[in-house]
Amino acid sequence: MKQTILPFRCWQKLVLCLTLSLNALMAWSGRQYTMNYHVDFDTLGHYLLVTLDYAETPSPAASDIVLNMPVWAPGYYEILDFPKHLCDFAAMTADGRRLAWQKEGKNRWRVPLPTNGHVRVSYRVYANERDVASSRVEKDIAFVAPCGVFMHVDGELNHPSKVTFRLPKGWTKVASGLKQGGWDCNDPDLRNDGTDSLTAAFDVKDFDTLYDSPLLFGNFRLDKFRYDDRWYEFALETPDGVDELDLKGKFCKIVSEATKMMGHVPYRFYSLIHMGKGEGGLEHLNSQACYTDGTYRFNSRRSEVKFLALVAHEYFHLYNVKCIRPAELWPIDYNREAITPMLWVSEGLTCYYEFRLLRNAGITTPDEALELLSTYFSLYAPYEGQRHQSLRQSSYDIWLNFMNNDANGRDVRINYYFKGPVVGLLLDIDIRRRTQQQRSLDDVMRLLYQRYYLELRRGFTEEEFWALCAEVAGSPLTEVRRAVDTTDDIDYDYWLRDAGLRIDGNKILRIDRPTKAQKAFLEAMQLLKK
């Protein structure tokens, strides 16, 4: 392409035009306003009482504001329609005069803006769900999932806000990823409001951050510590047996192995929120929220390993999905499904790294690591659904099937949580085989993180993922991609023998008299007994 050089006077005119255009754009879209939220707790009725004070200066740029509440929570791939829990929406002027607002669709509220630019909005949110994407308010504890509680001005997720919670009398603890760098062990966020209650206030830089930061309030056990120059807190609703398990020590080992593998840590502070008996966990950029067995005294070693795998899974997600994201998941549209064929990478490969992190950290033995990985073979292999839905399609259709319990489900569908880590193992084996054990799937993950998150600050496309795999392996991984894109049978013997592994009739991985070359793979995976 031939480069054209403009005369100096033309440059002056061009700069002037661009400056005027930029100023006009800012005048058109740059509304100056503040959003201050105040939240109280109704512990008997299971409600969050929310008040928003909106103030626009120096004068209103429009006659209305449109408020928007998300309908789903990132990482939880189901439309949850959070506004269904909202009631008693009201808007009024600063002097208490009611304003005639209008509902638009299921998650938008149009509120007329008074001439002074000040409006107060209030509503109640019913919080009595026991899942990691929804809020729960009880007598002694409250879990706040912000996607279903707070509204942003439509189209303006990048705007800052201030959020203040007034804790019920006697509550003294708060845990959240909203506590950022500079946080110390004195809980500076907590203030006495002049009564018997405490308030917790947070200045939040944007709504993506707020929506990605769950909070736990109450009188739970809160352990705070510093590890490898970063701050951590453990918020434990039911801490029975946690010291005997040495959760802190095991978690720090997981952190060390993930740091060693990825070469970077994307946070200064991390909050581990563990609630009582229930199921599931949800990842966040610098926190995780999980339900537990209600105790850390497990009835078997297998149950203990399964729980530690959940902790490792949600932790590794801060790399693989919070930073390394399919392009369709960045930026986030909270109004509709973010449909992508790549969730088998985001979730399935994270399941594979559960096994890797626990073994590399020495938390599991070689036999336990193989048993954990074998679980995924046994979970999906017996079902007819693998002949009707590809791994790629299962990613694409998860919005239809996340909580779809049709009786024929296993006959027509597969779960990328089960087949995904199996393909992750095959992908790792193939890269190591093609590069004579010099490179691995770890190199793919590091390169995705470095190139698309740290450098380009965007998500990756499907073709970019496969091109990067080929870059690491030295040639296209055609056979592995066929295992993802089609329902063709997978010849496990073909793949596993290169790694010195076989799968028996019970779908259990076994080490099968490895050769010297095969031992190199098993040693790299730390699967050989010493």
Side-chain angles (χ1 to χ4, degrees):
M1 180 177 177
K2 187 176 181 179
Q3 191 173 23
T4 302
I5 300 176
L6 295 175
F8 179 73
R9 184 171 295 178
C10 293
W11 277 112
Q12 284 182 312
K13 291 181 178 179
L14 179 61
V15 171
L16 178 60
C17 290
L18 289 173
T19 301
L20 292 174
S21 298
L22 180 59
N23 289 338
L25 179 62
M26 292 178 66
W28 175 71
S29 63
R31 299 177 67 164
Q32 299 179 34
Y33 60 90
T34 59
M35 298 183 74
N36 292 320
Y37 275 100
H38 298 268
V39 182
D40 288 276
F41 300 85
D42 174 359
T43 58
L44 295 179
H46 307 288
Y47 281 98
L48 293 165
L49 312 178
V50 183
T51 301
L52 164 63
D53 286 313
Y54 175 99
E56 187 170 316
T57 56
S59 61
S63 59
D64 297 337
I65 58 170
V66 177
L67 299 174
N68 184 302
M69 176 178 278
V71 300
W72 69 286
Y76 201 96
Y77 304 108
E78 181 184 18
I79 295 297
L80 294 172
D81 285 332
F82 292 119
K84 69 187 177 185
H85 298 302
L86 186 147
C87 64
D88 297 333
F89 184 95
M92 61 186 64
T93 63
D95 59 3
R97 180 171 53 86
R98 287 191 172 272
L99 296 171
W101 54 272
Q102 296 292 326
K103 184 81 178 291
E104 297 182 347
K106 62 183 178 181
N107 67 325
R108 289 159 52 99
W109 289 259
R110 182 175 295 274
V111 179
L113 193 61
T115 55
N116 66 1
H118 290 226
V119 64
R120 171 168 287 185
V121 169
S122 62
Y123 52 90
R124 295 192 297 156
V125 175
Y126 186 60
N128 198 23
E129 297 282 340
R130 202 172 186 85
D131 68 67
V132 289
S134 302
S135 298
R136 171 171 59 99
V137 175
E138 296 184 350
K139 178 182 176 182
D140 299 314
I141 200 161
F143 175 67
V144 176
C147 280
V149 177
F150 300 103
M151 301 177 183
H152 61 275
V153 173
D154 191 45
E156 299 192 23
L157 288 164
N158 290 329
H159 202 278
S161 64
K162 183 170 184 175
V163 182
T164 302
F165 297 87
R166 185 165 67 176
L167 281 63
K169 182 179 178 180
W171 289 19
T172 61
K173 303 288 178 58
V174 56
S176 176
L178 287 176
K179 297 175 179 177
Q180 295 295 322
W183 172 86
D184 62 30
C185 292
N186 296 319
D187 263 341
D189 304 306
L190 288 174
R191 297 285 184 269
N192 193 305
D193 68 351
T195 67
D196 291 331
S197 298
L198 297 176
T199 63
F202 302 93
D203 291 306
V204 189
K205 66 178 183 177
D206 56 50
F207 278 87
D208 280 325
T209 300
L210 178 58
Y211 291 150
D212 201 26
S213 302
L215 306 101
L216 190 68
F217 299 91
N219 285 314
F220 46 85
R221 173 169 166 177
L222 186 62
D223 295 340
K224 312 170 189 180
F225 62 93
R226 194 175 180 89
Y227 177 71
D228 197 19
D229 199 33
R230 285 171 174 80
W231 285 105
Y232 295 84
E233 68 177 8
F234 281 7
L236 311 173
E237 181 180 359
T238 52
D240 176 60
V242 71
D243 295 321
E244 292 82 351
L245 178 65
D246 188 22
L247 179 61
K248 174 182 173 182
K250 290 180 171 64
F251 178 77
C252 288
K253 289 180 180 180
I254 291 169
V255 171
S256 291
E257 287 304 319
T259 303
K260 186 187 305 181
M261 182 180 296
M262 300 302 294
H264 183 260
V265 180
Y267 61 82
R268 297 298 304 167
F269 169 79
Y270 191 89
S271 180
L272 183 144
I273 297 173
H274 281 185
M275 293 170 283
K277 191 170 182 58
E279 293 185 357
L282 191 58
E283 72 276 0
H284 303 279
L285 184 58
N286 68 332
S287 64
Q288 63 176 255
C290 301
Y291 278 97
T292 68
D293 283 358
T295 177
Y296 294 92
R297 302 182 192 277
F298 299 96
N299 55 20
S300 68
R301 171 63 176 169
R302 184 185 181 93
S303 296
E304 179 182 324
V305 169
K306 180 181 177 182
F307 171 76
L308 292 171
L310 172 65
V311 174
H313 181 101
E314 303 306 340
Y315 182 79
F316 194 71
H317 261 320
L318 77 91
Y319 292 104
N320 190 28
V321 88
K322 303 311 297 184
C323 298
I324 303 170
R325 305 188 197 185
E328 297 86 352
L329 297 182
W330 196 352
I332 297 170
D333 186 342
Y334 297 93
N335 298 305
R336 58 185 58 85
E337 300 91 338
I339 296 175
T340 173
M342 299 301 287
L343 285 178
W344 72 269
V345 172
S346 300
E347 295 291 348
L349 295 191
T350 300
C351 289
Y352 175 68
Y353 277 99
E354 297 171 11
F355 137 80
R356 292 288 311 285
L357 290 175
L358 292 184
R359 179 63 205 118
N360 290 356
I363 294 172
T364 56
T365 66
D367 285 343
E368 289 171 337
L370 280 176
E371 182 181 6
L372 180 61
L373 194 54
S374 299
T375 300
Y376 295 113
F377 283 85
S378 61
L379 283 172
Y380 97 89
Y383 299 113
E384 179 68 16
Q386 64 178 302
R387 305 189 183 282
H388 300 277
Q389 185 180 62
S390 68
L391 184 55
R392 181 184 188 276
Q393 194 66 40
S394 73
S395 301
Y396 196 87
D397 284 345
I398 189 60
W399 293 92
L400 299 174
N401 298 321
F402 189 69
M403 291 293 178
N404 185 344
N405 295 315
D406 286 352
N408 72 332
R410 291 177 174 176
D411 297 329
V412 297
R413 294 188 292 271
I414 60 166
N415 188 324
Y416 55 59
Y417 284 99
F418 302 157
K419 190 174 182 180
V422 171
V423 171
L425 174 63
L426 306 186
L427 186 57
D428 204 0
I429 291 173
D430 201 20
I431 294 171
R432 291 174 186 270
R433 175 178 61 83
R434 291 169 184 264
T435 62
Q436 290 74 52
Q437 307 297 328
Q438 298 303 304
R439 307 197 81 179
S440 70
L441 184 57
D442 299 355
D443 293 286
V444 172
M445 303 307 292
R446 280 191 290 268
L447 196 51
L448 285 168
Y449 182 75
Q450 179 67 36
R451 182 173 299 174
Y452 293 104
Y453 176 67
L454 293 180
E455 296 176 7
L456 298 178
R457 306 299 292 181
R458 67 170 176 85
F460 61 89
T461 68
E462 184 176 25
E463 293 308 317
E464 285 171 338
F465 173 81
W466 288 113
L468 191 144
C469 287
E471 178 182 336
V472 170
S475 57
L477 278 63
T478 307
E479 295 88 350
V480 179
R481 185 163 187 178
R482 184 180 298 116
V484 172
D485 292 348
T486 74
T487 59
D488 294 353
D489 288 336
I490 298 176
D491 184 354
Y492 293 121
D493 290 338
Y494 167 78
W495 296 99
L496 296 177
R497 64 171 172 257
D498 283 336
L501 297 169
R502 65 180 176 85
I503 189 163
D504 66 17
N506 295 317
K507 302 301 178 184
I508 302 297
L509 284 170
R510 307 288 188 189
I511 296 176
D512 190 19
R513 296 192 297 268
T515 64
K516 183 177 180 180
Q518 292 167 337
K519 282 183 178 180
F521 174 85
L522 295 171
E523 289 172 351
M525 302 289 282
Q526 300 190 34
L527 291 177
L528 288 179
K529 298 177 183 178
K530 296 182 179 180

